[in-house]
Amino acid sequence: CVTQIGYAAFSGCTALRNVVLSQRLRAIHKETFSECSALTHIEIPDSVETIGTCAFQKCASLSAVTVGGSVQLIEKFSFSGCQNLTLLSVNSITPPVIDSTLSSQRLSRLVVSVPCGQKETYQAAPKWQNLDIRELPEHHLMLLTDDSKHGRATLVGSDCNTDSVTVAAVPIVPY
């Protein structure tokens, strides 16, 4: 099983759309997926402890990232240039240490989902306080589509206090 992926291993792979990472992977190293412009989402397994510098830099199509519960460090510029990133789901009870670049990026549409009961913990942690943090249960649903012909649909899931589901759809052309 793969436990490490080398420096810049997939950097510049512009046709890379989907990645399934090993459940034994320990770290995503520097620039591993930088400039993978077709990559739309990534699920970082619970085994990963570090997301390296510029790991996903300039992944222009990246819209959703799920960060496993063992990530302790998100290094500088990990998601810089990811202008379409709208959902960062962090499954850790303890907020990972992040470089200020995550909170200072122009990610006005970014929603950070954290486990139920942890919103205040994240808001009190250094460099997380300026982000739009929302609590979502572990079993929340996530469907993000972006179709240039029809529009964008987002199914985020239920919140911690109800069984409701939030759905947003933005058609490009009226039906």
Side-chain angles (χ1 to χ4, degrees):
C1 241
V2 175
T3 58
Q4 290 193 36
I5 301 173
Y7 163 77
F10 296 98
S11 181
C13 291
T14 57
L16 186 65
R17 296 179 58 87
N18 297 307
V19 175
V20 177
L21 299 173
S22 167
Q23 294 296 322
R24 294 192 177 162
L25 188 66
R26 289 289 198 211
I28 297 175
H29 294 288
K30 183 178 181 180
E31 299 180 23
T32 300
F33 295 102
S34 67
E35 299 184 36
C36 291
S37 56
L39 187 63
T40 58
H41 65 280
I42 189 85
E43 288 192 33
I44 299 168
D46 286 334
S47 58
V48 172
E49 296 174 356
T50 303
I51 300 172
T53 301
C54 302
F56 297 96
Q57 181 182 39
K58 297 182 184 176
C59 290
S61 299
L62 190 63
S63 61
V65 175
T66 300
V67 177
S70 297
V71 171
Q72 298 170 15
L73 175 62
I74 301 173
E75 292 184 357
K76 63 184 176 183
F77 308 116
S78 293
F79 300 102
S80 69
C82 297
Q83 67 267 18
N84 288 309
L85 185 60
T86 56
L87 181 62
L88 178 67
S89 296
V90 185
N91 295 327
S92 177
I93 300 296
T94 304
V97 173
I98 60 171
D99 184 270
S100 62
T101 56
L102 181 62
S103 58
S104 65
Q105 286 178 358
R106 297 177 191 257
L107 298 171
S108 59
R109 300 179 319 168
L110 180 66
V111 171
V112 178
S113 71
V114 300
C116 288
Q118 299 307 311
K119 181 177 180 177
E120 289 181 11
T121 303
Y122 274 76
Q123 288 176 326
K127 302 179 182 148
W128 287 92
Q129 56 269 62
N130 294 327
L131 297 170
D132 182 3
I133 298 173
R134 301 181 190 178
E135 294 178 337
L136 291 176
E138 286 183 36
H139 60 277
H140 76 274
L141 304 170
M142 182 176 74
L143 167 68
L144 298 168
T145 63
D146 194 356
D147 180 331
S148 60
K149 182 178 176 185
H150 299 103
R152 174 178 291 226
T154 307
L155 170 62
V156 175
S158 60
D159 66 27
C160 293
N161 301 317
T162 68
D163 290 329
S164 67
V165 174
T166 303
V167 178
V170 180
I172 291 176
V173 291
Y175 288 97

